Every structure is written in C-alpha cells, then in structure tokens.
Amino acid sequence: MQKMAELLRLRDECGEGTSGAAMLPGSLLAGNRLNLDVYPNGCCHFLRLLKEQREDVVQVEFLRLSSNDSLIDITLESLPHLKHLKSLVLKGGCARDEFGCCRHGSLTSLPQDFGNLKCLTHLDLSFNRLSTLPSCILHLPSLSLLLVNHNSLAALPEDFGCLSKLTFFSAMKNQLRCLPQSIGELSMLQTLDLSENGLQLLPEEIGNLHNCTELDLSGNRLSSIPDSLANLKSLHQLHLHSNFLVTVPASLASLPSLSRLDLRNNCLRAIPTEIQALPFVRLQGNPLGETEPSLQAGNCKAAAVVIHSCFSSGSFTVTSEHCEVVLPGGIVLSFPPGAASDPLQIYFKYLEPDPQWVKLRHHDVLLSSVLELQPHGVEFQKEVHIWMPFVSPQTLHQHEVVVRTFSGQSWGDLRTRVKQKKRLMVPMAHCSVLHFSWFVVVARLVQDKCKVPAEGMLLFSSVDPHIKVTFPPGVTKEHRSVKMQVLPVSAEQVGEILIKEECLASPLLCLSQDSLADFLKPVRIQLPLPPGITGLNLDRSRLHLLHGDLEGQTWDDITSQVVLKFTHIYVVFEVTHFSWYWLWYTTKTYIEGIAKKVYERLRLYQVNFIALQRKNDPEQVLLQCVPRHKVEPVVKKLQHRYRGPEPSDMVEMFEGEQFFAAFERGISIDMDRPDCVDGRLSFIFYSHLKNMKEVYVTSPVDRKGQAVRGQVSFYRGAVPENIPEDASRRRKGSDSLWLATLPIKLPQLKPRWDENTGLLCGLSFPPLNLGSAETGYLTQANLLSIARRVGPDWQTIGLNLGLTYQQIERIGHNNREDLDKQILGMLFSWAQQNSEDPNCVNKLITAMKESGRQDIADEVETIINLGRQKYSASIRRVGLEQESSTEDSAIATM
C-alpha cells in the first residue's frame, strides 16, 4: 500500500491523476462492476479508488482493465485483495499502432497469489505477451471460462486438466506445438478453440471430452487426427480447415450430433465415402482425385515443396530450394530456387485496411485486405512471386487491378497480371518483388503511360481511343514518363446528378508526368465532344473547357485562355503542363460549381442499410451496408434464414468512409468487442468488400411481460481525407451524422418452467414419484426444476440415462424448433420408462456426473436430502421415529 500511495502521489504531482478523474462522469463504480479499460489511465483510477473507497472496491465482482496501461504491473499486486471477484478481464489490444494493428499488452506473468481468487469463474488474458501459462491459474477452483488468445504460448502445463470446472477454453493465435494428455480430463469442457497455432499431433485423450460441442483446430499443422475424436458424441461443429491432413477417419461420420465438418484447404486426395456423403461437410481447396507426385531420392531440389501455413499471422522458413507457400485466404507465395541463399524465416500478418493508413486515390476501389510480409530490409537473389485473391470488380470496366505496396513512406503500384490459379475459383493478382513490404489489391482507373523522348510521341487512351495526346519533336530534352487516365461520364450520370439542368460533359481526362517543369513546346490534346454534340450543331458560347487540380477541389474555366479547334466530333487544344481536363456543354454561367458538384458525386456510392434478425434466434442481428444495385439479391439470399424490416432509404458514402451502428431504445450489445467504440459498432465502407457484421443483442428491459421494440441507428464517423470541402462541411454537426434508423424487436420471453409448473410444452404425463423410500423421491416439479438447468447437452445426458439414439433423434426432430421441448421430452420419456425402478434416482445422479454436469447431480442430491430431512422431522413430530436410518425416506419437494 505504501508503494501504491507513493505512486499515486507522483501521479498527482504530474497532474495526471486529478485531471483524469475529473473527466469521468460520476462514480466509476456501477454496483459490483468496475469497467476501467475504456478510460485512459484506468489502472491509476483503480489504485485511487482502492485507496479512497477500499470497502466498496473489495466487493467488486466484475473488473475490466487494459493491459496496455503503463501501471498494470503495480495494479496486479492489488487484485488478490478482491476476494469476491468472479470475472476479470486483463486484455491488451485497446491501443493500435500506426498500421492499425492491435498493440499487445505488457503481461508476461501473474502474481502467484492470484490463486487465492477462489470465486473467479471468468478470466480473459487475450492480446498479451504470455509465453507460458501462469501456474497460479491452475489453482483457481471455480474457473469455467479461460481466454488466452493472441499470446505467445508454446505449450500448456502438463497438469492443465486439473481445471475440472472449465467449460470454455480459447487459445487461438498462439504458438502451441502439442497438447498435454491431461486435456482429456476436462470433462465439463464444451468449447475448445485452438485455431491458428502450430499443432502437429493431438493426444488420444482429446477423445475424452464427452461434453465438447465445438472443437476448432483450424490453421494448424496436423497431418492426421486420432480416431478417438469419434468418441465426442456431443460434438456439433468440428473445424479442421487449413491443415496438412492427408486422411480423416471414416468414424467421424457416425457422430450423432455433428452438423458442421470443415475440411477445406488440406492435402486430402481421397475422402471416405461415409464422410463425402455428409450434407454439411466442406471440402473446397483439397487436391481430391489427384495423384500424389513421386519424388526420387536426391532429386528434392527440383520438386516444388508446398506448405499450407494457415494462420492470420505466423511464420515459416524458406531455403535455397523451390518453395510454394499457401497462406490463409488463398494467398500464394512462390520462392524460385536460389531466391534465398541461406535459410530465412518469413513472417506474415493480415491487417485491417484502416483508411488512415491505406490511402486510396480518387476513384480507387479496395479489393482485398492488407498483407504484411517480413523481413522488410532483406533483398532476395531472385524475384518472389505473389498471388493475391481479390473481389472481382465486375462493374468497373474503366478500372484495372493492381497490387499496391507500401515502402514505409508512400504507396506505389506494382506491375500486375490477373490470373486464375488452378483449383481456385477467385481471380488472383500476380506480382513479383525483390523486397517484402505491405501489399493490397486495388482497382484504379486504367493507366496508359509512355516515355516521351526528344523526338516526340503519340499516346492514345485504351479506355476511349478518341482521346489522344501528341508530343511534338523538341517537347523535352530528357525522357519524361507520362501517365494518362480517363473516367467516362455518361449523359445519364450527369442527368441523375443535375436534375432539370441541361448539361452535357465529355470523358474526364487526367494527365500527369514525373517532372515539375513545363514542356518546352505545347502538347496537343484531342478530346471528344460531349455526347450528342457535333461540329455541325455546336454553339461555341455554350462550350467550356475546365481545368481542375489533382484533388478535384477547384475547377477553373480556361476556355478563353486556349485556342479551341473543332472537327466533326473532336475538340483540339494545346497546353504546356498537365492536370485534369473536362469539356462541358451548357447554358449555365457558373459551370465551375456545377463541375465540382458532379465530380464529388461521381466518387460517391449509393447504399442502403440492412438490419435482419435470425428467424430461429432473434437475438442474433445481421447488419450490412450494401450498394444499391446489390440490395435485392442480398436480401433474397438472406430471407430464408433472416427476417426484418425493409432496407433503409438510400444514402451516399465515399469509398473508405467510416460509419457506426448504435443499438438504441432498450437494445444493447457486448461492449467488449474490439470493434466497439463508445458503445457503437465501427464499420469502414468499401464498395466491393462485405460491410457486414453479426452481433448478439440483449436488453436490460424485463422481457417476461412484454417484447422490446428497439432500433439500430447508423451514423457517420470520421470525415475521409481529400474529400471536397462542401462535402466535409455537410458531414459535421450532430444532425448531419445520422444516416438511417431501422427497428429491432426482441420478442417476449416464454414463461420459465418454475413460474408455470403446469406448462409441459404440450407433453402430458401422469403424476410422478420417482425413487424409493430408501433413496428418496423426485416429483414432477423436481424434474421441471432440473430441466431448467439442462442446456444444449441434453442429448449426452439422455444417452447416459439409457435412451437410445433413435429416441434422441426422434425427440430432437419432433421438437426441432424448441430446445425447451427437447429437454422436457428427454427427461419425461426417461421418467416414464423408469417410474417403477426404485434405483432410478441414483441412476439420474450418475448420468449427470458422467455427462459432466456435477452441478445438476449436486442439485438432485440436495433435493433428496432435503426431502429426507423433512420426512424425518415429520416422523419425530408424531413420535414414530425409527432407529433404522433405512426408513428415513421422503417425497422431495421444492
């Protein structure tokens, strides 16, 4: 405490503590919750609160802190004093670096006395720097949810299985190479996520996870999986994509609850017929039916080595041999023989395309995420080939696809060819590099370029052959690189923007060069006249030649400054420097403002917002921003699984513009999401990427008596850079930020079983008294109370109670839309079959223990013991107490 007080004193002297606290609205404590990861200097606030309101702070049950905080280490020493703590989040990732990546927190270990937090059930240590799992975690007896994602764990402790109450464990994106055998002792584990590690083998004991419903092993280095996985009778989803699998056991097809089997992007050349017949198996990206290439001894250098290294970030080693590497999402790297003289470790990472970093030029369209390859400073002996898949820009006929790379200072375009790789349905952008950097696929306006010598040159546009630029002899002394880009502008586009204004425009021409000096002689430019205008019907007073700056912010009428020559369909003029050029035909006098408005609108996309709820789970909401021409097919594709209001009214957005979705009027979301900013979901609009997110929503409103009629509203975010000043002004101010609002309805909750014990979901049974005088009795009300505790694992419990697979399947099918009815059908079917068995209560307790539901087994034993006590008390009251304890029996009541 003395150290803490000294630290706080130093903070006060610097003025940080006081000013930070003054900025916080009201009390930081919200009942038994303390969320400080959203505040700057959150750890400092915690230490201050612990000093000034210690009695309140030590009662906290839910605590969130950012491990990016500089005071996290000193704060950790105080946390074991919070004896009532149930949920603790110490995540990094709250800050981002200059490339938009989440910064990992500074945690490398935890104090040993963390094991004293006996009430802790939820611990999240994601986005930190843990290389080993702190041993104190193994001493947390109540821990049921553990998250250690995005760390550097190389292994799990051998006695990891001692966490007997663990139901959820996620260690995705670490460096795990193997698993301890004790993992099979986690009998209550329901969800296990070990994706994007380096696992090469799985222990047979993993088949002992009988309660596991979801197992994610994708993005590892598994070449085979143990047959024991067929013992996971509760398994619903098995993710094995992006491994090295060459075979899978046919016994997986017999898993009774399996509804998803993902085997994409492996090395499977043959599949057991039982698995191939499954309707939910996914096999894309496998060399099915292909013969395995034979390698002769001593001839390996001539053969291509294919590596499927499937992480969102990771590394691999290349040598002087030919090596082809397949990364997540289908990116292919090909290292020719001799590209690396010595073994070299290559690192890769996927980054979100943050518009503050990925700078798009006017009329550019983003077609992929950002790939970073390291090391940056190494030069290869031969060019390395990169194939990047991208979204096909089918509607952008005047655009071309290029790979853009970042040099550390600016972005530049690489020479790119579009290819179709074998067995892949998506197009691939191919480039070759000697250095590694950052790479992204974009569509830009088609660029025609040439080197202009002193002798002169003629340059045509490949988009519109009627546009040409003539460089006369003597136009330059040194060679100059000249680039031409053309944006076609149709009469329909101008008419939609300028309603009731008679205006026509030519294609928009952009010329640039690599020199700041003007040309020595005038350069001749030929542009087609606006559509519908010819030299025969031309009114020269209506024709205007406009000159625009490279940002399109200002347009000047230069008609009087140049000599215009006309042919039947062309106009020709001469200039000595390059920029944007645009011909307009109109009666309007202020043509500069009209051109500026049209140019701005040409960069905008008309979009609609969609907010739909799953039919079977209305708390799962899908949000999407869809370009107007795609709305109808997108809604049609989703309507069999989702329902909701009609799409919003049309709004306009720039490529790379940020917007937010806020749930309002009684609807809320998990604030812990990394894409959640001040309670709102953050989006970046890219016209050719999926601007879609699915979220689970909740409501603080009591839904027992009424449905909740809330809404989701969409708001603009940060103003994009390099947009016209008028558009920027329209995006400022509270009213101008709102885009659209769509209704969200959460239905009224069904009555709980304990609130209406006569409601058996349409099931009718005679009164029940299960058990005997020696074991005690269970009644119908007791079973209803037990059913309330059972969840999706009801099938496992039913099998352990002795019901057949056919019975389980029939109950599930007959009540496939209602989990409550499935659970009640299972329990009361078993009760009917065992109503005459005096030992059925003990069988129920045993089945619950075998199913990993010790909590329900304890509840049944409590009910029985309570009934016995009541019966003994009643016997004593009437003086009939027997000496033999074997007659102490009762009808157990709640």
Side-chain angles (χ1 to χ4, degrees):
M1 292 300 297
Q2 181 179 0
K3 185 175 182 180
M4 183 196 313
E6 177 65 15
L7 186 58
L8 288 171
R9 183 184 64 79
L10 292 174
R11 298 289 296 233
D12 288 342
E13 289 179 358
C14 296
E16 295 181 36
T18 304
S19 61
M23 293 171 61
L24 301 178
S27 174
L28 292 171
L29 276 171
N32 59 355
R33 297 176 180 270
L34 190 54
N35 297 334
L36 295 174
D37 55 336
V38 296
Y39 297 108
N41 302 322
C43 287
C44 181
H45 296 309
F46 173 81
L47 297 174
R48 180 179 298 279
L49 282 170
L50 187 61
K51 178 183 178 183
E52 298 175 355
Q53 303 180 43
R54 185 177 183 84
E55 292 184 2
D56 295 328
V57 173
V58 296
Q59 299 297 322
V60 165
E61 297 181 4
F62 302 89
L63 175 63
R64 300 181 60 87
L65 293 169
S66 168
S67 57
N68 294 113
D69 198 299
S70 59
L71 297 181
I72 188 65
D73 291 333
I74 186 65
T75 305
L76 289 178
E77 299 176 7
S78 305
L79 296 186
H81 297 293
L82 279 60
K83 301 296 184 182
H84 301 278
L85 202 59
K86 294 181 180 179
S87 174
L88 177 60
V89 177
L90 299 172
K91 289 173 58 176
C94 298
R96 294 181 179 269
D97 60 20
E98 64 271 24
F99 303 119
C101 298
C102 293
R103 292 186 185 275
H104 284 237
S106 58
L107 288 187
T108 57
S109 63
L110 293 175
Q112 194 60 37
D113 53 357
F114 248 64
N116 298 332
L117 298 174
K118 303 301 182 184
C119 298
L120 195 66
T121 61
H122 170 220
L123 179 60
D124 190 345
L125 301 173
S126 301
F127 282 101
N128 279 292
R129 304 179 187 276
L130 299 174
S131 57
T132 59
L133 194 70
S135 59
C136 59
I137 293 179
L138 304 179
H139 299 289
L140 299 171
S142 303
L143 194 64
S144 60
L145 291 92
L146 176 60
L147 296 91
V148 288
N149 303 322
H150 295 270
N151 277 279
S152 303
L153 298 177
L156 297 176
E158 288 298 325
D159 52 348
F160 186 70
C162 69
L163 295 172
S164 58
K165 293 191 176 181
L166 205 62
T167 61
F168 184 99
F169 178 57
S170 182
M172 66 179 298
K173 295 189 180 180
N174 278 272
Q175 300 171 16
L176 298 175
R177 296 293 180 264
C178 59
L179 298 176
Q181 294 180 346
S182 65
I183 198 168
E185 300 172 13
L186 301 174
S187 59
M188 297 182 67
L189 194 65
Q190 298 177 9
T191 300
L192 178 59
D193 187 350
L194 299 172
S195 58
E196 301 188 40
N197 279 276
L199 296 174
Q200 299 179 1
L201 291 174
L202 298 176
E204 288 286 340
E205 289 76 8
I206 200 171
N208 297 334
L209 302 176
H210 299 298
N211 278 317
C212 188
T213 60
E214 182 172 358
L215 178 59
D216 194 340
L217 298 167
S218 58
N220 281 281
R221 300 182 179 182
L222 300 170
S223 58
S224 63
I225 54 175
D227 293 336
S228 63
L229 285 185
N231 299 331
L232 304 180
K233 304 299 183 184
S234 301
L235 198 61
H236 292 181
Q237 299 187 29
L238 178 57
H239 303 274
L240 291 167
H241 67 81
S242 307
N243 276 280
F244 298 135
L245 294 178
V246 295
T247 181
V248 290
S251 55
L252 291 180
S254 65
L255 290 173
S257 304
L258 197 63
S259 60
R260 183 182 180 91
L261 177 59
D262 195 342
L263 297 172
R264 293 173 299 162
N265 298 325
N266 277 283
C267 303
L268 297 169
R269 300 180 185 277
I271 297 290
T273 55
E274 299 92 332
I275 289 183
Q276 206 157 10
L278 295 175
F280 48 77
V281 66
R282 304 184 70 180
L283 298 169
Q284 295 92 333
N286 283 285
L288 295 175
E290 297 184 11
T291 57
E292 188 170 359
S294 59
L295 299 179
Q296 298 181 355
N299 201 26
C300 294
K301 290 186 178 181
V305 181
V306 180
I307 303 176
H308 293 272
S309 186
C310 300
F311 318 97
S312 291
S313 62
S315 64
F316 56 90
T317 303
V318 296
T319 63
S320 59
E321 300 178 358
H322 180 197
C323 178
E324 188 171 288
V325 183
V326 181
L327 301 181
I331 291 178
V332 180
L333 307 179
S334 181
F335 298 82
S341 56
D342 299 312
L344 181 64
Q345 191 78 3
I346 305 296
Y347 299 88
F348 63 91
K349 182 189 299 183
Y350 286 99
L351 306 174
E352 291 297 324
D354 188 337
Q356 299 299 321
W357 175 50
V358 181
K359 305 295 185 182
L360 295 178
R361 301 162 191 155
H362 290 205
H363 311 289
D364 283 351
V365 177
L366 191 70
L367 302 179
S368 76
S369 58
V370 181
L371 170 69
E372 180 185 7
L373 294 173
Q374 294 181 335
H376 293 166
V378 175
E379 181 174 354
F380 293 98
Q381 304 299 315
K382 296 181 180 179
E383 287 189 337
V384 177
H385 299 272
I386 303 175
W387 285 269
M388 295 184 67
F390 62 90
V391 180
S392 178
Q394 298 177 354
T395 59
L396 303 176
H397 303 298
Q398 71 274 16
H399 285 63
E400 61 184 354
V401 174
V402 295
V403 177
R404 188 164 291 172
T405 185
F406 187 65
S407 64
Q409 300 294 331
S410 61
W411 290 89
D413 295 341
L414 297 173
R415 183 177 180 181
T416 306
R417 291 181 295 169
V418 175
K419 292 187 174 183
Q420 194 83 28
K421 288 286 286 183
K422 293 181 180 179
R423 303 194 306 273
L424 293 176
M425 301 301 294
V426 297
M428 308 283 281
H430 169 250
C431 64
S432 302
V433 296
L434 288 172
H435 301 272
F436 277 167
S437 181
W438 294 266
F439 304 92
V440 66
V441 182
V442 300
R444 70 182 183 190
L445 292 177
V446 173
Q447 192 175 92
D448 299 296
K449 55 185 179 180
C450 67
K451 287 278 189 180
V452 179
E455 295 78 17
M457 174 70 68
L458 181 63
L459 177 62
F460 283 90
S461 167
S462 59
V463 175
D464 188 341
H466 299 297
I467 299 177
K468 67 179 182 179
V469 180
T470 305
F471 299 90
V475 71
T476 180
K477 292 182 178 179
E478 305 291 338
H479 280 69
R480 297 195 192 188
S481 294
V482 174
K483 297 177 182 179
M484 173 195 293
Q485 291 177 297
V486 174
L487 178 64
V489 182
S490 67
E492 292 78 11
Q493 287 176 302
V494 176
E496 288 181 2
I497 299 171
L498 302 176
I499 302 175
K500 297 181 180 180
E501 295 186 19
E502 296 181 0
C503 297
L504 296 172
S506 73
L508 184 56
L509 172 65
C510 179
L511 294 171
S512 61
Q513 61 165 322
D514 62 352
S515 174
L516 298 177
D518 289 348
F519 289 100
L520 301 180
K521 290 185 178 181
V523 177
R524 186 181 185 189
I525 298 176
Q526 173 182 291
L527 282 177
L529 289 167
I533 305 300
T534 68
L536 298 177
N537 62 4
L538 175 67
D539 182 350
R540 296 193 180 190
S541 65
R542 296 184 180 184
L543 190 69
H544 303 268
L545 177 62
L546 301 185
H547 169 277
D549 61 26
L550 293 179
E551 298 299 327
Q553 295 279 8
T554 59
W555 293 90
D556 298 318
D557 189 344
I558 60 171
T559 310
S560 60
Q561 303 174 23
V562 296
V563 177
L564 299 179
K565 299 179 180 179
F566 300 95
T567 67
H568 183 62
I569 56 176
Y570 304 123
V571 62
V572 179
F573 58 94
E574 294 181 341
V575 297
T576 56
H577 60 276
F578 284 164
S579 185
W580 290 93
Y581 296 98
W582 208 355
L583 274 177
W584 279 79
Y585 193 76
T586 179
T587 59
K588 302 295 181 181
T589 55
Y590 184 56
I591 186 61
E592 294 92 339
I594 294 176
K596 183 177 181 180
K597 176 181 178 180
V598 172
Y599 183 78
E600 173 192 330
R601 292 286 297 276
L602 289 175
R603 294 180 55 198
L604 286 167
Y605 292 85
Q606 296 180 338
V607 301
N608 300 83
F609 295 102
I610 294 174
L612 302 175
Q613 296 171 264
R614 274 193 181 270
K615 293 180 178 179
N616 296 335
D617 186 4
E619 293 183 347
Q620 186 173 353
V621 179
L622 180 146
L623 304 176
Q624 190 169 7
C625 178
V626 187
R628 184 179 64 174
H629 67 280
K630 296 182 180 179
V631 171
E632 185 174 347
V634 168
V635 172
K636 185 177 180 180
K637 183 178 179 181
L638 296 172
Q639 64 185 3
H640 70 286
R641 289 181 294 135
Y642 297 85
R643 65 164 60 96
E646 291 294 318
S648 71
D649 292 337
M650 186 272 294
V651 298
E652 294 181 327
M653 301 191 74
F654 287 99
E655 182 85 2
E657 184 169 358
Q658 184 183 38
F659 66 95
F660 295 96
F663 289 91
E664 301 163 340
R665 298 181 61 184
I667 306 291
S668 58
I669 59 172
D670 180 12
M671 302 295 184
D672 300 339
R673 293 174 57 104
D675 56 354
C676 191
V677 180
D678 296 330
R680 299 178 176 185
L681 285 179
S682 174
F683 292 78
I684 304 295
F685 171 73
Y686 292 109
S687 59
H688 281 64
L689 302 185
K690 283 188 176 181
N691 309 290
M692 181 182 72
K693 293 182 181 180
E694 280 195 88
V695 296
Y696 276 95
V697 300
T698 58
S699 175
V701 179
D702 186 0
R703 294 165 54 196
K704 296 178 183 178
Q706 62 178 354
V708 177
R709 300 181 183 274
Q711 64 186 30
V712 57
S713 295
F714 298 90
Y715 299 89
R716 295 192 188 276
V719 178
E721 294 184 4
N722 298 326
I723 72 168
E725 294 179 2
D726 293 344
S728 178
R729 284 194 295 269
R730 289 196 297 271
R731 279 159 169 73
K732 294 179 181 179
S734 56
D735 295 336
S736 63
L737 297 181
W738 176 83
L739 292 167
T741 295
L742 295 171
I744 297 290
K745 178 183 177 181
L746 293 182
Q748 180 180 345
L749 292 177
K750 296 178 181 179
R752 296 173 63 94
W753 299 326
D754 57 338
E755 296 170 352
N756 189 356
T757 56
L759 179 64
L760 294 180
C761 299
L763 304 174
S764 177
F765 298 105
L768 294 174
N769 280 323
L770 300 176
S772 66
E774 291 188 2
T775 61
Y777 292 102
L778 287 178
T779 67
Q780 191 179 83
N782 299 144
L783 281 186
L784 286 170
S785 175
I786 293 169
R788 194 180 65 221
R789 301 283 298 275
V790 179
D793 54 351
W794 66 271
Q795 294 171 313
T796 303
I797 295 174
L799 293 173
N800 289 328
L801 283 172
L803 298 182
T804 65
Y805 286 117
Q806 290 76 16
Q807 287 178 296
I808 295 293
E809 290 178 355
R810 184 169 60 253
I811 293 170
H813 177 75
N814 293 340
N815 306 284
R816 53 188 176 276
E817 300 295 334
D818 195 325
L819 178 62
D820 297 350
K821 289 184 178 181
Q822 292 173 343
I823 296 169
L824 285 172
M826 178 271 295
L827 278 177
F828 280 92
S829 295
W830 167 80
Q832 274 190 314
Q833 296 176 16
N834 294 269
S835 59
E836 303 298 326
D837 184 356
N839 195 39
C840 63
V841 175
N842 287 333
K843 290 182 178 179
L844 177 62
I845 294 173
T846 301
M848 292 298 177
K849 291 180 178 179
E850 290 176 350
S851 304
R853 297 306 302 268
Q854 184 67 42
D855 57 328
I856 300 180
D858 293 341
E859 180 178 343
V860 176
E861 290 179 336
T862 300
I863 293 172
I864 295 301
N865 292 333
L866 180 60
R868 286 174 178 167
Q869 294 172 8
K870 290 183 178 180
Y871 181 76
S872 298
S874 65
I875 293 296
R876 284 193 295 271
R877 283 196 299 270
V878 297
L880 298 177
E881 183 175 6
Q882 300 292 322
E883 301 220 352
S884 173
S885 62
T886 59
E887 297 189 14
D888 291 343
S889 60
I891 297 177
T893 59
M894 294 298 293

